[in-house]
Amino acid sequence: MQKILIVEDEKRVADLLKIGLEENGYQAMVAYDGAMGLRLFRSNTFQLVISDIILPKMNGFELCREIRRTDDRVPILMLTALGAADDKLEGFDVGADDYMVKPFDFRELTARVKVLLKRHATSDNALVKQIAYADLSVNLERQEVTRNNIYIKLSPKEYNLLVYMVENAEKVISRIEIAEKVWNTHFDTGTNFIDVYINYLRKKIDKDFDIKLIHTKPGVGFILTDKL
């Protein structure tokens, strides 16, 4: 679950943001001043920061600047009641990625959050050139899969499914999670679409090898592991 830090001194606004983001599937933590926000940021791992500009103890610009001293990649979305262009420019100058003026439509905010998180994930994936588990290796640049140095040809759907399973190795993944995270669709309990692709993948990844990596957890989902 992606974790978002909210730094907002107006408790009503902070609480609404927290509730709304959690209803959209995110985990959210709240700080009510800039100094507290910086402490939380340094002691946790966040995928996004949403910060007001006018804050007690440390304003949003200072907070953004401090965050950028240690992390130049985490997306920062700034919120303010100020609409002046100079404030927007200053926000970008200290490292903010986006900017919204209060009052804002929550649907627009969640849309921007999704864009920032997707951009960040894409950027992270570009830095990681290869992922591996046991003797299975996936080259993300060339989208090539090998096991024990033997090339395995996969379809695009099989490849995306395998990448997600390798990224979440040792974790049980439900059919709903696969549908939403791998193919951006809703799981239809009346079909065996996901099971079919798991079987396709299992035949290519496991069939010719003694150690099986893809396992079914009946009634729960699937897991990629060499420990079963």
Side-chain angles (χ1 to χ4, degrees), residues 112-197:
R112 296 207 192 179
V113 164
K114 287 178 182 177
V115 168
L116 289 170
L117 288 171
K118 184 175 181 180
R119 187 187 305 160
H120 185 237
T122 301
S123 177
D124 281 348
N125 286 338
L127 292 176
V128 179
K129 311 229 180 259
Q130 188 161 304
I131 55 175
Y133 181 86
D135 59 353
L136 179 68
S137 180
V138 182
N139 186 302
L140 298 173
E141 280 192 312
R142 296 195 298 269
Q143 295 193 357
E144 290 180 354
V145 176
T146 59
R147 184 162 183 196
N148 196 22
N149 295 319
I150 299 170
Y151 173 72
I152 299 171
K153 185 177 181 180
L154 300 179
S155 71
K157 275 189 168 62
E158 292 165 350
Y159 172 81
N160 290 336
L161 175 57
L162 180 66
V163 168
Y164 190 76
M165 294 190 78
V166 175
E167 289 175 338
N168 293 274
E170 308 287 348
K171 171 191 169 187
V172 177
I173 305 171
S174 70
R175 291 169 177 82
I176 292 173
E177 183 176 347
I178 290 172
E180 292 179 351
K181 303 296 186 182
V182 179
W183 294 313
N184 296 314
T185 186
H186 293 292
F187 176 58
D188 183 352
T189 55
T191 71
N192 65 343
F193 176 76
I194 290 172
D195 293 73
V196 167
Y197 272 92

Side-chain angles (χ1 to χ4, degrees), residues 11 27 37 45 49 51 72 103 109 111 131-132 164 179 185 199 201:
K11 190 174 186 306
Q27 184 180 352
T45 299
V49 177
S51 176
D72 62 355
L109 181 134
I131 55 175
Y164 190 76
T185 186
N199 287 332
L201 200 55

Side-chain angles (χ1 to χ4, degrees), residues 9 14 30 35 40 65 76 81 87 101 106 133 137 153 185 192 208:
D9 63 322
V30 176
L40 284 178
R65 190 178 292 109
I76 300 175
D87 295 305
V101 177
F106 192 79
Y133 181 86
S137 180
K153 185 177 181 180
T185 186
N192 65 343
D208 298 325

Side-chain angles (χ1 to χ4, degrees), residues 19 30 46 49 51 60-61 63 89 99 103 145 156 158 168 206 212:
I19 292 169
V30 176
F46 294 99
V49 177
S51 176
F61 296 139
L63 173 61
L89 290 173
Y99 187 102
V145 176
E158 292 165 350
N168 293 274
D206 283 341
K212 310 306 178 187

Side-chain angles (χ1 to χ4, degrees), residues 4-112:
I4 297 174
L5 172 62
I6 301 164
V7 190
E8 169 60 67
D9 63 322
E10 293 183 52
K11 190 174 186 306
R12 182 184 63 84
V13 176
D15 290 346
L16 287 173
L17 282 170
K18 186 175 190 297
I19 292 169
L21 289 168
E22 289 178 344
E23 286 177 349
N24 279 271
Y26 303 107
Q27 184 180 352
M29 293 182 70
V30 176
Y32 298 106
D33 63 65
M36 179 183 178
L38 185 59
R39 286 196 302 273
L40 284 178
F41 183 83
R42 286 173 171 170
S43 59
N44 295 271
T45 299
F46 294 99
Q47 282 69 53
L48 180 78
V49 177
I50 299 175
S51 176
D52 194 7
I53 288 179
I54 301 175
L55 294 167
K57 298 186 180 179
M58 175 187 292
N59 68 41
F61 296 139
E62 294 170 323
L63 173 61
C64 186
R65 190 178 292 109
E66 288 300 316
I67 287 173
R68 286 290 175 248
R69 291 184 193 278
T70 56
D71 190 328
D72 62 355
R73 300 181 54 74
V74 64
I76 300 175
L77 172 61
M78 304 204 82
L79 305 176
T80 182
L82 304 174
D86 286 347
D87 295 305
K88 186 172 183 179
L89 290 173
E90 185 173 353
F92 289 139
D93 285 344
V94 295
D97 296 275
D98 204 352
Y99 187 102
M100 289 190 71
V101 177
K102 297 177 184 178
F104 52 83
D105 185 298
F106 192 79
R107 290 170 298 180
E108 182 183 354
L109 181 134
T110 54
R112 296 207 192 179

